[in-house]
Amino acid sequence: MFKLALRTLRLRKGGFLATFVAVFFGALIVSACGGLMETGIRSETPVQRLAAAPIVVGGQQSLALPEEDPATRDPDEKQKFEHATLPERVRLDAALADRLRAVPGVTDVVGEVSFPAQVGAASAFGHAWDSAVLTPYALSGQPPKPGEVVVDAGLGIGIGATVPVAAHGVIGEYRVSGVAEAPQAMRDSALFFAASDASRLAGHPGKFDTIGVFGGDVAAVTAAVGDAGVVATGVERGVFEFPEVGKSGEDLVVLAAVSGGLSAMVMVFVVAGTLTLSTQQRQRELALLRAIGTTPRQLRRMVLGEALVVGLLAVGAAVALGPVLGNWLFGQLAANHVVPDVLRFEQGWLPATVAAGASLLAVVAASFVAGRRASRVRPTEALAEAAVERRWLTPIRLVTAILCFAGGTALGIVTVAVMTGPVAASTAGPAVMLWAFGVAAISPGVTKVTAMLLRWPVQAITGVNGRIALRNTRVGAVRTAGAVTPIMLAVGIATANIYLQTTQEAVSNQAFTEDLRADAVVAGPGGLDPSVLARVSGVPGVAEASEYVTSTVFIEKPFDSGQADDGWPALGVSELSGTAVVVPDTLDRHVGDTLSLRLGDGTPVDVRVTAVEHQRPGFERLVLPAGLLAPHTTLGLAPQLLVRAAEGVDTATLTARLREATAGSPVSVGDRDTLIAAHAKGNEIGAWVNYLLVGMIIAYTVISVVNTLVMATARRRREFGLQRLSGFTRGQVLRMAGIEGGLIAAIAVLLGTVVAAGAIVPFCLVVTGSLLPSGPLAVYLVVLGLAVVLSLGAILVPAWAATRGRAVDATSIGE
């Protein structure tokens, strides 16, 4: 039967080419997503500033959080912990460097600090000169003394010049004592100061960001470090140099897992539909094989053999091109600041293996479904059944649909009853997939029912051509469903994901705007010196000014079973002082209670609840003193001041006075719109990722739609010929085909809209209280228009080709 399968492939290139396209693009996307996931897991970053140090010690950026309440835990069981990534840089005590110098074999220990700085209009990072050996930099000139600076060669500043340098909220004049040149290309320009100046400008005296160790045994160094830090060698050193890579890697893993998993599930339905349609178009051929003595097992083996040959060819091509697509997607993510540009794309053999396995599994499952029905009929019934599709509902389809609908309903109930705010998207997103797959499982029946509902308007508009198109759709429900399903998936997934995103953005922007009481903002890229607050507060027309610090904190005690691994958003303001904290009422804490927190850099602190307030659901946060929160952020200072104008003072007057008061400081002044625009821009990054995911899946389903419709329509050449011989003109046949295309689009759009509504409505009820999402109607109209254009184009073009020539010649061509 395998030899027969190979011969069949040569004679039926069209149908198997369609299967090849479906498997190829599905495997290609899964392979590319696997590469992104591997990149996130590896998080490999080329070492630049720390390249010369064979051993690097950095801070412990993970925090162990209890997964269960110690009071209710079985004392005989070991405490379980979940590790959360700390959002702020964890620094090392300078005393650790002295301890490392005592390790046998260690020849040198160099502490390193890094802080943002600006020299003129150019951005750079400042360091102490003695840490230049960690790269190493070559020096032209003299090492810096207090009040001097060594500049990066790329800045183009000559020795002897005096330059203004802004760092840690202040501007100072420094004489250039030398020019340093790196041995390789660096992402960031460097400024080197005397050790005393660097320590002051870094803002964390007695602390190092990292420590480079020369000589010594790794095990001995690790033992000396103990719990005070983490030891890294090789490519792992890059994470200490670019700590943002760690969190970005985790996000990339989640993004790739969601994208790849979703694409794999879509591929299963697309491949199954394509193979099923291809097999149904060969019913007469398969029936003849049964009639001449072919056993059901032989028939199934033949169908499986054909599918595996095509699948192996498609998977082989997809696996070879997977890294190309993965690298391109990674480049797009980096260009749009979703992942750091220093992260290196890596794709080994594992993603290719997983993509190949998942794709071939889909092919095998689809071929089993496609060959099962034809192989189970009796030879005497096979020839009669080849002409008309009768049965489509199988136990597998029914069980799949019931489970998917039950799961979608359960997620909808959870969304409405349990979730609050934008977090409801975590259940609404999966719900749309369950609804879509449930409809896809019974799509022939749903397609037939929907076509019956559209019967009267279609007949009223299109007349006799419409009646024939409706009859073709109902009789060939399985064939029609093969075209409806991918369009329905594209419409449902695109509509749901886009409107979930636009609604989230609208709610987030609305919450930020309504909660914002400031009329102006004073911002410093390197942080604001504390003296700026006093100067701004004394400006005429300022009613109130407050530092504005954001971070994330973790509640250790009392145990918080609802705390996510990402912790609690925290806001630092100047109105609070000491160890006061304001908590949301959802935290179930009272005034006077004590909370044990871990700040963003892992520092433990006990705070006292001074107020409990009702906060917008989904946007709850802890409010802490800015003076408590800011020193434990990576920057070490408040990055912004929010200013509220006194009554009768307009925004233009206020901002003009603020610019005058802060002249000479490294700050910028903006109005309320500046804050709102900055917040909206932050949301755009998350939206771009979602649109990339949706676009990739839509591209695949579009290819599948065209693939399926072209294959289905091209095989109807004999049918079109018989219609023309019975009195139809070529124009009437094409109009009938066009009506079928429009009907397919209408059915798919209706079903896709219902599928999307199953996720959108519960989500919107939770976050906005409305049944309708926020977002432009044009999005839905564009999706609808694309569905119609694709359906009509993919049917009319092959129908035009199939009706060329004489009708009598078309009827002589067999199936």
Side-chain angles (χ1 to χ4, degrees):
M1 299 306 292
F2 189 74
K3 291 182 179 180
L4 180 59
L6 291 176
R7 292 176 181 174
T8 307
L9 288 175
R10 292 199 301 269
L11 296 174
R12 292 189 174 273
K13 298 182 182 68
F16 294 115
L17 179 61
T19 303
F20 177 91
V21 171
V23 177
F24 169 75
F25 282 102
L28 180 65
I29 294 175
V30 174
S31 177
C33 290
L36 294 178
M37 180 178 290
E38 181 178 352
T39 299
I41 293 173
R42 290 175 177 266
S43 292
E44 291 189 0
T45 306
V47 187
Q48 296 180 7
R49 270 275 301 132
L50 308 174
I55 303 174
V56 176
V57 182
Q60 177 60 265
Q61 289 292 150
S62 63
L63 176 67
L65 297 171
E67 287 185 310
E68 54 193 348
D69 190 345
T72 60
R73 178 175 55 89
D74 188 335
D76 295 330
E77 291 185 2
K78 186 177 181 180
Q79 174 72 41
K80 298 178 181 178
F81 290 91
E82 184 72 25
H83 288 272
T85 300
L86 292 169
E88 313 291 349
R89 180 186 278 277
V90 178
R91 293 178 169 84
L92 303 168
D93 196 318
L96 178 59
D98 296 330
R99 198 159 73 228
L100 290 172
R101 290 188 181 96
V103 174
V106 171
T107 58
D108 195 11
V109 175
V110 180
E112 191 261 355
V113 295
S114 180
F115 52 91
Q118 276 194 309
V119 51
S123 297
F125 276 86
H127 314 276
W129 170 248
D130 57 3
S131 67
V133 298
L134 297 174
T135 307
Y137 278 84
L139 175 64
S140 297
Q142 298 296 320
K145 299 175 183 177
E148 295 180 339
V149 64
V150 170
V151 299
D152 195 303
L155 295 174
I157 302 174
I159 298 174
T162 299
V163 294
V165 177
H168 202 63
V170 296
I171 294 180
E173 296 288 335
Y174 294 84
R175 176 184 175 275
V176 177
S177 65
V179 175
E181 185 170 2
Q184 58 176 328
M186 308 289 284
R187 186 189 72 170
D188 303 307
S189 298
L191 298 175
F192 293 99
F193 300 86
S196 58
D197 285 344
S199 178
R200 173 176 53 84
L201 294 175
H204 300 278
K207 298 285 187 180
F208 288 134
D209 290 358
T210 55
I211 298 175
V213 181
F214 295 83
D217 180 70
V218 176
V221 171
T222 303
V225 171
D227 295 332
V230 178
V231 177
T233 59
V235 73
E236 295 177 356
R237 296 170 295 167
V239 178
F240 292 145
E241 187 172 347
F242 305 103
E244 66 271 20
V245 168
K247 179 60 177 174
S248 298
E250 295 177 3
D251 295 340
L252 188 59
V253 169
V254 174
L255 171 65
V258 173
S259 305
L262 191 57
S263 301
M265 289 187 288
V266 172
M267 178 179 64
V268 169
F269 280 92
V270 170
V271 172
T274 305
L275 265 176
T276 300
L277 180 60
S278 177
T279 304
Q280 286 167 350
Q281 290 180 340
R282 301 166 54 201
Q283 284 288 74
R284 183 166 284 112
E285 171 193 327
L286 299 176
L288 286 171
L289 289 173
R290 290 296 318 279
I292 62 175
T294 304
T295 65
R297 181 182 178 185
Q298 289 175 320
L299 202 59
R300 287 195 298 269
R301 286 175 57 191
M302 185 191 75
V303 173
L304 176 62
E306 293 170 350
L308 279 179
V309 171
V310 177
L312 287 171
L313 292 174
V315 167
V319 166
L321 295 176
V324 177
L325 176 61
N327 195 26
W328 180 84
L329 290 173
F330 180 79
Q332 297 301 306
L333 294 173
N336 287 273
H337 309 292
V338 179
V339 296
D341 54 3
V342 293
L343 190 63
R344 185 165 57 194
F345 178 77
E346 295 286 344
Q347 182 161 351
W349 60 269
L350 187 58
T353 303
V354 172
S359 304
L360 290 177
L361 183 63
V363 169
V364 171
S367 64
F368 172 78
V369 173
R372 184 170 177 268
R373 177 169 174 251
S375 66
R376 293 184 63 181
V377 296
R378 294 190 300 270
T380 54
E381 297 176 351
L383 288 174
E385 193 170 354
V388 180
E389 301 157 336
R390 296 177 182 174
R391 294 190 301 271
W392 59 267
L393 186 62
T394 64
I396 295 177
R397 282 180 178 265
L398 182 60
V399 171
T400 300
I402 291 174
L403 291 177
C404 288
F405 290 148
T409 303
L411 286 178
I413 294 173
V414 170
T415 300
V416 174
V418 178
M419 297 297 176
T420 58
V423 73
S426 61
T427 52
V432 69
M433 298 309 305
L434 290 174
W435 286 112
F437 292 155
V439 172
I442 57 172
S443 58
V446 178
T447 297
K448 185 179 292 187
V449 171
T450 309
M452 292 176 63
L453 295 176
L454 296 174
R455 175 183 175 185
W456 295 111
V458 171
Q459 287 184 353
I461 296 173
T462 59
V464 64
N465 288 326
R467 285 195 292 272
I468 296 177
L470 282 167
R471 181 161 298 181
N472 287 340
T473 301
R474 291 198 303 270
V475 172
V478 176
R479 180 193 66 203
T480 305
V484 167
T485 298
I487 303 178
M488 179 272 296
L489 288 172
V491 171
I493 293 173
T495 303
N497 279 276
I498 292 176
Y499 277 119
L500 286 177
Q501 182 63 48
T502 57
T503 303
Q504 278 184 294
E505 287 186 67
V507 171
S508 176
N509 292 335
Q510 180 184 6
F512 182 82
T513 303
E514 291 179 354
D515 293 343
L516 183 63
R517 298 291 182 265
D519 299 300
V521 57
V522 179
L528 297 173
D529 187 87
S531 64
V532 176
L533 175 60
R535 288 157 55 190
V536 168
S537 299
V539 172
V542 171
E544 188 178 1
S546 172
E547 293 177 311
Y548 187 82
V549 185
T550 58
S551 186
T552 302
V553 300
F554 302 86
I555 299 177
E556 285 194 315
K557 294 179 183 179
F559 177 76
D560 178 22
S561 59
Q563 176 174 269
D565 297 344
D566 293 334
W568 278 88
L571 171 63
V573 295
S574 302
E575 289 84 352
L576 297 179
S577 60
T579 57
V581 63
V582 178
V583 301
D585 52 6
T586 54
L587 192 57
D588 194 24
R589 295 292 178 259
H590 305 89
V591 174
D593 288 351
T594 298
L595 298 180
S596 294
L597 305 180
R598 289 275 185 166
L599 300 180
D601 63 351
T603 301
V605 62
D606 290 336
V607 294
R608 181 176 176 272
V609 178
T610 57
V612 178
E613 64 178 8
H614 176 72
Q615 298 179 1
R616 190 185 301 268
F619 296 91
E620 295 90 350
R621 59 193 177 186
L622 304 184
V623 184
L624 297 161
L628 174 64
L629 195 61
H632 299 282
T633 62
T634 299
L635 198 59
L637 293 173
Q640 292 178 325
L641 289 181
L642 299 187
V643 184
R644 187 163 58 88
E647 186 175 352
V649 178
D650 61 85
T651 302
T653 301
L654 177 65
T655 54
R657 292 176 180 175
L658 291 175
R659 290 189 181 97
E660 182 180 351
T662 57
S665 297
V667 301
S668 61
V669 178
D671 57 13
R672 177 185 176 89
D673 292 339
T674 303
L675 283 167
I676 295 174
H679 180 268
K681 187 172 181 61
N683 288 334
E684 289 175 2
I685 294 179
W688 186 89
V689 174
N690 194 35
Y691 296 150
L692 177 65
L693 165 63
V694 172
M696 190 166 56
I697 296 174
I698 289 177
Y700 178 46
T701 52
V702 164
I703 293 170
S704 303
V705 168
V706 175
N707 186 32
T708 301
L709 286 176
V710 169
M711 177 181 67
T713 307
R715 294 291 298 171
R716 297 172 64 188
R717 183 176 180 184
R718 184 170 182 270
E719 173 191 335
F720 293 153
L722 289 172
Q723 287 177 333
R724 292 168 65 189
L725 289 177
S726 65
F728 273 67
T729 65
R730 187 188 182 198
Q732 289 176 317
V733 172
L734 291 177
R735 283 196 293 274
M736 179 204 69
I739 294 171
E740 286 188 29
L743 192 58
I744 288 173
I747 295 172
V749 167
L750 286 174
L751 295 179
T753 303
V754 171
V755 163
I760 291 175
V761 170
F763 176 78
C764 291
L765 285 174
V766 171
V767 299
T768 66
S770 171
L771 293 175
L772 298 177
S774 300
L777 178 63
V779 171
Y780 181 71
L781 296 179
V782 168
V783 172
L784 186 150
L786 286 175
V788 173
V789 170
L790 283 172
S791 299
L792 291 178
I795 283 184
L796 286 177
V797 172
W800 177 82
T803 54
R804 295 180 64 186
R806 298 189 306 169
V808 67
D809 294 335
T811 59
S812 64
I813 298 177
E815 295 184 9

